[in-house]
């Protein structure tokens, strides 16, 4: 199983950014997949997760209404559309999955077994 996140960068407050996570070794039709982030000096947190078998999504309170998770099954890619970004969103973002988790809520609040390398998002003027 492999996941590769990309799309991070520097964005101004209020701006938007879309992260991509290309997956291989499994298909996006059963396990939950999700995005996590870790800000400097803080613990890693689940940001948004997707149950790929029933399309149920889960968002943390910090990003609800601003971030949207989606997938393209044909491209085996998961996306995170991030709008109205603030400096508090600055973090390294990771995508992750766990074949033992099909629930988006469980994945976001658990400890996924498989992680991709992170991509840095910096929100600053």
């Amino acid at each position: 199983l492999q996941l590769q996140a990309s799309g991070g960068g520097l964005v101004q407050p209020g701006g938007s950014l879309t992260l991509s996570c290309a997956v291989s070794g499994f298909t996006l039709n059963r396990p939950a997949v999700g995005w996590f982030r870790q800000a400097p000096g803080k613990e890693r947190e689940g940001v948004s997760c997707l149950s790929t078998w029933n399309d149920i999504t889960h968002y943390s309170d910090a990003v609800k209404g601003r971030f949207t998770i989606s997938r393209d099954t044909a491209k085996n890619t998961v996306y995170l559309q991030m709008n109205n970004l603030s400096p508090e969103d600055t973090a390294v973002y990771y995508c992750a999955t766990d074949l033992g988790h099909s629930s988006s809520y469980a994945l976001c609040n658990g400890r996924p077994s498989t992680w991709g390398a992170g991509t840095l998002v910096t929100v600053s003027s």
Side-chain angles (χ1 to χ4, degrees), residues 45-88:
E45 61 172 338
V47 172
S48 178
C49 295
L50 169 70
S51 300
T52 61
W53 69 281
N54 61 7
D55 287 327
I56 291 179
T57 56
H58 173 78
Y59 296 94
S60 69
D61 289 342
V63 307
K64 198 172 295 183
R66 300 187 298 122
F67 290 12
T68 302
I69 188 171
S70 63
R71 55 143 176 203
D72 185 328
T73 304
K75 295 182 178 180
N76 254 13
T77 301
V78 180
Y79 303 97
L80 185 68
Q81 172 69 42
M82 305 184 294
N83 298 326
N84 194 23
L85 286 161
S86 71
E88 288 72 33

Side-chain angles (χ1 to χ4, degrees), residues 15-118:
S16 298
L17 205 60
T18 300
L19 304 181
S20 299
C21 176
V23 309
S24 60
F26 67 103
T27 55
L28 294 173
N29 59 9
R30 189 191 180 282
V33 293
W35 290 95
F36 297 73
R37 69 185 181 185
Q38 187 164 21
K42 294 187 177 181
E43 292 187 357
R44 190 176 296 180
E45 61 172 338
V47 172
S48 178
C49 295
L50 169 70
S51 300
T52 61
W53 69 281
N54 61 7
D55 287 327
I56 291 179
T57 56
H58 173 78
Y59 296 94
S60 69
D61 289 342
V63 307
K64 198 172 295 183
R66 300 187 298 122
F67 290 12
T68 302
I69 188 171
S70 63
R71 55 143 176 203
D72 185 328
T73 304
K75 295 182 178 180
N76 254 13
T77 301
V78 180
Y79 303 97
L80 185 68
Q81 172 69 42
M82 305 184 294
N83 298 326
N84 194 23
L85 286 161
S86 71
E88 288 72 33
D89 296 313
T90 295
V92 177
Y93 284 71
Y94 303 86
C95 55
T97 190
D98 191 313
L99 296 187
H101 282 305
S102 59
S103 158
S104 55
Y105 178 86
L107 186 73
C108 261
N109 289 279
R111 294 185 177 182
S113 61
T114 305
W115 296 83

